[in-house]
């Protein structure tokens, strides 16, 4: 008894269906793989990882990192301006030495200029006390680079006379390695410039 042959059109139709099914599955698999890769890449860009004390990996969100950066940047600026401007005859050398660790050559150049102008000699000669009253800093993110504007209010006690001044200074922040205790925040002040200095009042 002869085996009946299948209709050639039925065979071709079945083959075409199988090919189409394979192509569709391949496209779906490729699309899914691309989506997974894109999602993983996006999550990686928005995350960082730290090693916990027990060896486990802790994900840190980029948003959290930026928030932490702002807090550390404000603390760094406050520390610097306190060291650089909160000075008297007994502590100015120690404070200025600490301040120079927090900035680059622009801070050192300003220090040398003030020294050449006799600012610190007058501090010693007249026993002046320069006290910082408030520090207000604003940080601007310029596509990954950070600049700041700081308003420092300080007073100079000349004994019977106390003069109050407002200083507006600007500069940039550079991320560097932390150096305890000299530079605990891992930031460096660059392009530092004293923009304006204005006397606010006189008190007797």
């Amino acid at each position: 008894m002869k085996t009946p042959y299948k209709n050639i059109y039925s065979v071709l139709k079945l083959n075409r269906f199988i090919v189409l099914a394979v192509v569709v599955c391949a496209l779906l698999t490729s699309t899914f793989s691309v989506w997974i890769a894109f999602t993983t890449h996006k999550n990686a860009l928005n995350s960082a990882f730290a090693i916990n004390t027990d060896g486990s990996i802790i994900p840190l969100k980029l948003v959290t990192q930026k928030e932490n950066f702002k807090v550390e940047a404000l603390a760094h600026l406050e520390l610097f301006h306190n060291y650089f401007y909160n000075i008297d005859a007994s502590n100015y050398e120690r404070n200025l030495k600490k301040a120079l660790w927090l900035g680059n050559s622009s801070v050192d150049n300003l220090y040398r200029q003030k020294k050449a102008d006799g600012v610190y000699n007058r501090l010693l000669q007249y026993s002046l006390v320069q006290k910082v009253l408030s520090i207000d800093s604003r940080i601007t993110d310029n596509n990954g680079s950070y600049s700041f504007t700081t308003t420092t209010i300080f007073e100079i006690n000349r004994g019977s006379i106390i003069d109050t001044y407002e200083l507006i200074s600007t500069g940039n922040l550079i991320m560097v390695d932390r150096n305890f205790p000299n530079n605990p925040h891992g930031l460096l002040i660059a392009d530092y410039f004293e923009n304006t200095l204005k006397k606010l009042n006189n008190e007797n």
Side-chain angles (χ1 to χ4, degrees):
M1 184 177 180
K2 293 183 179 181
T3 303
Y5 291 100
K6 292 183 178 179
N7 188 289
I8 187 65
Y9 295 107
S10 298
V11 174
L12 292 175
K13 188 176 181 180
L14 179 61
N15 288 342
R16 185 173 62 178
F17 174 77
I18 294 174
V19 171
L20 287 175
V22 171
V23 170
V24 170
C25 289
L27 287 174
L28 290 175
T29 303
S30 299
T31 303
F32 181 73
S33 299
V34 170
W35 179 78
I36 289 294
F38 174 77
T39 304
T40 304
H41 178 68
K42 185 177 180 181
N43 290 336
L45 288 178
N46 290 326
S47 302
F49 299 91
I51 306 298
N52 200 1
T53 53
D54 60 1
S56 60
I57 297 177
I58 307 172
L60 302 174
K61 293 297 181 184
L62 188 60
V63 174
T64 305
Q65 286 183 316
K66 288 185 177 181
E67 290 175 353
N68 291 341
F69 174 84
K70 185 175 181 180
V71 171
E72 294 216 45
L74 291 173
H76 185 85
L77 292 170
E78 183 169 354
L79 192 63
F80 167 76
H81 285 84
N82 264 314
Y83 282 148
F84 203 74
Y85 298 104
N86 201 72
I87 54 177
D88 56 41
S90 64
N91 69 10
Y92 83 96
E93 288 185 329
R94 181 175 66 253
N95 279 9
L96 291 173
K97 183 178 180 181
K98 292 178 179 179
L100 291 176
W101 275 97
L102 306 178
N104 70 353
S105 59
S106 62
V107 174
D108 184 63
N109 290 339
L110 178 60
Y111 160 71
R112 293 177 184 275
Q113 179 185 334
K114 287 178 177 288
K115 188 175 182 180
D117 291 342
V119 172
Y120 307 119
N121 284 337
R122 288 194 294 273
L123 196 74
L124 293 172
Q125 184 177 356
Y126 300 107
S127 298
L128 303 179
V129 177
Q130 185 169 295
K131 181 180 179 182
V132 172
L133 302 178
S134 67
I135 300 169
D136 180 30
S137 297
R138 297 189 305 276
I139 299 170
T140 305
D141 183 354
N142 303 309
N143 296 323
S145 62
Y146 298 90
S147 59
F148 68 87
T149 301
T150 299
T151 302
T152 305
I153 307 295
F154 64 90
E155 65 182 19
I156 298 180
N157 188 327
R158 295 181 171 87
S160 60
I161 298 176
I162 299 177
D163 294 325
T164 305
Y165 296 88
E166 178 190 76
L167 171 69
I168 298 178
S169 55
T170 58
N172 298 313
L173 289 172
I174 301 173
M175 286 180 278
V176 296
D177 291 336
R178 295 178 191 269
N179 186 334
F180 292 98
N182 298 315
N183 191 334
H185 301 106
L187 294 169
L188 205 63
I189 294 172
D191 304 317
Y192 186 68
F193 186 72
E194 293 182 341
N195 292 64
T196 60
L197 179 63
K198 179 175 65 176
K199 182 185 287 188
L200 297 182
N201 62 3
N202 283 324
E203 297 180 8
N204 294 323

